[in-house]
Amino acid sequence: AQSVTQLDSHVSVSEGTPVLLRCNYSSSYSPSLFWYVQHPNKGLQLLLKYTSAATLVKGINGFEAEFKKSETSFHLTKPSAHMSDAAEYFCVVSETSNDMRFGAGTRLTVKP
Amino acid sequence: DSGVTQTPKHLITATGQRVTLRCSPRSGDLSVYWYQQSLDQGLQFLIQYYNGEERAKGNILERFSAQQFPDLHSELNLSSLELGDSALYFCASSATGGAGSGANVLTFGAGSRLTVL
């Protein structure tokens, strides 16, 4: 069975500093992995996805994530945080279209 | 605008009542998914429909039901409402989602916030 663990429920960074949101997964197969972002009172928006192509995936708004099979990780990073990055971030693992597991979410706070 | 339309945006009702939430998927998408997001449970998958037929069921209560119509819009019916049903209900759509299909990108609507008093 597949599962996903977001290691931090809350991350706080200063504007202009790097962002690291951690995600570990468990899967019996070669899963697809996603990061979604949810801004306050908004729906979830796809940031990026990994589907067994390049292990370093670039997404929107300067975010990227690296798939590390040996560590079963898919951490999300950004070199320099912006105030508009403050949001909730969800890591998702999926083996099939009808079985997507969402992590509990990481709330990112960006301080001026 | 994601292309997935949910109505109503906000709904306040009383315990024991019944409500219907509506979702129009993005143009061309055949699958509709319903999720419930609450503070204590996080994002929970409820049910998926593909081209009018139920494809997968998650943590959906028996008091809840859904359907997808021939024009592909979907409705989620919540009955005998309890205080604990207060949550944000999201609809998402994807292009495929039929049997044997791989992981899909979901496009989410803005959600319907249900408050049960």
Side-chain angles (χ1 to χ4, degrees):
Chain A
Q2 57 183 351
S3 66
V4 60
T5 303
Q6 291 185 242
L7 298 168
D8 307 291
S9 60
H10 186 209
V11 169
S12 181
V13 300
S14 297
E15 192 174 21
T17 65
V19 176
L20 170 64
L21 305 183
R22 299 181 295 165
C23 172
N24 285 353
Y25 71 92
S26 172
S27 175
S28 303
Y29 304 99
S30 296
S32 295
L33 295 157
F34 306 80
W35 276 98
Y36 282 83
V37 60
Q38 183 181 23
H39 288 93
N41 301 312
K42 301 281 188 184
L44 282 75
Q45 179 187 17
L46 179 71
L47 270 182
L48 50 81
K49 65 176 180 179
Y50 166 78
T51 53
S52 73
T55 56
L56 183 61
V57 183
K58 294 190 184 300
I60 62 171
N61 301 335
F63 283 94
E64 61 182 38
E66 186 170 8
F67 173 71
K68 291 187 176 180
K69 188 174 181 178
S70 61
E71 298 176 11
T72 60
S73 69
F74 190 57
H75 301 335
L76 181 71
T77 60
K78 182 173 180 177
S80 175
H82 192 272
M83 295 298 291
S84 61
D85 295 328
E88 186 99 16
Y89 291 80
F90 293 92
C91 182
V92 184
V93 61
S94 176
E95 293 173 358
T96 63
S97 65
N98 55 10
D99 193 6
M100 299 182 73
R101 303 296 173 93
F102 282 75
T106 298
R107 181 167 299 280
L108 176 65
T109 300
V110 182
K111 298 175 291 188
Chain B
D1 182 5
S2 68
V4 178
T5 304
Q6 289 188 247
T7 57
K9 285 186 171 27
H10 301 277
L11 191 55
I12 301 174
T13 188
T15 54
Q17 296 297 304
R18 171 191 168 95
V19 298
T20 297
L21 309 180
R22 193 178 193 279
C23 170
S24 293
R26 200 177 54 155
S27 178
D29 284 357
L30 298 178
S31 273
V32 169
Y33 305 73
W34 285 99
Y35 286 85
Q36 179 194 58
Q37 186 179 40
S38 61
L39 285 175
D40 54 344
Q41 296 287 331
L43 200 63
Q44 298 281 321
F45 168 65
L46 296 179
I47 197 164
Q48 178 208 353
Y49 281 82
Y50 173 73
N51 206 18
E53 297 196 1
E54 183 183 304
R55 268 291 282 141
K57 231 173 189 177
N59 299 321
I60 189 166
L61 300 172
E62 286 192 11
R63 300 184 284 109
F64 296 0
S65 65
Q67 55 184 325
Q68 186 180 29
F69 295 86
D71 67 352
L72 300 178
H73 90 271
S74 177
E75 292 181 357
L76 178 67
N77 300 296
L78 315 174
S79 61
S80 302
L81 286 168
E82 302 174 359
L83 296 177
D85 297 328
S86 296
L88 199 51
Y89 291 84
F90 284 109
C91 169
S93 71
S94 69
T96 56
S101 63
N104 283 298
V105 172
L106 302 186
T107 302
F108 282 81
S112 293
R113 183 171 295 282
L114 172 66
T115 302
V116 182
L117 300 176

Short mmCIF file of all heavy atoms in Angstrom, two decimals, chain A residues 1-2 41 49 68 73:
data_model
loop_
_atom_site.label_atom_id
_atom_site.label_comp_id
_atom_site.label_asym_id
_atom_site.label_seq_id
_atom_site.Cartn_x
_atom_site.Cartn_y
_atom_site.Cartn_z
N ALA A 1 0.84 -1.20 0.00
CA ALA A 1 0.00 0.00 0.00
C ALA A 1 0.88 1.25 0.00
O ALA A 1 1.97 1.25 0.54
CB ALA A 1 -0.91 0.01 1.23
N GLN A 2 0.39 2.26 -0.64
CA GLN A 2 1.18 3.48 -0.74
C GLN A 2 0.82 4.44 0.38
O GLN A 2 -0.31 4.42 0.89
CB GLN A 2 0.93 4.15 -2.09
CG GLN A 2 -0.52 4.47 -2.34
CD GLN A 2 -0.74 5.07 -3.72
OE1 GLN A 2 0.18 5.40 -4.43
NE2 GLN A 2 -2.00 5.24 -4.11
N ASN A 41 -8.11 30.05 1.37
CA ASN A 41 -9.45 30.14 0.76
C ASN A 41 -9.44 29.87 -0.75
O ASN A 41 -10.29 30.38 -1.49
CB ASN A 41 -10.08 31.50 1.03
CG ASN A 41 -10.22 31.76 2.50
OD1 ASN A 41 -10.72 30.91 3.24
ND2 ASN A 41 -9.77 32.92 2.96
N LYS A 49 5.09 17.71 -11.03
CA LYS A 49 4.81 16.28 -10.95
C LYS A 49 6.02 15.49 -11.43
O LYS A 49 6.78 15.94 -12.29
CB LYS A 49 3.59 15.92 -11.80
CG LYS A 49 3.78 16.14 -13.28
CD LYS A 49 2.56 15.68 -14.06
CE LYS A 49 2.78 15.92 -15.56
NZ LYS A 49 1.63 15.45 -16.37
N LYS A 68 14.26 10.90 -5.13
CA LYS A 68 15.39 10.08 -4.70
C LYS A 68 14.85 8.72 -4.27
O LYS A 68 14.33 8.56 -3.15
CB LYS A 68 16.14 10.74 -3.55
CG LYS A 68 16.91 11.99 -3.96
CD LYS A 68 17.77 12.51 -2.83
CE LYS A 68 18.60 13.71 -3.28
NZ LYS A 68 19.46 14.23 -2.18
N SER A 73 12.29 9.73 -1.11
CA SER A 73 11.96 11.11 -0.79
C SER A 73 11.62 11.91 -2.04
O SER A 73 12.04 11.56 -3.16
CB SER A 73 13.10 11.79 -0.03
OG SER A 73 14.21 11.98 -0.89
#
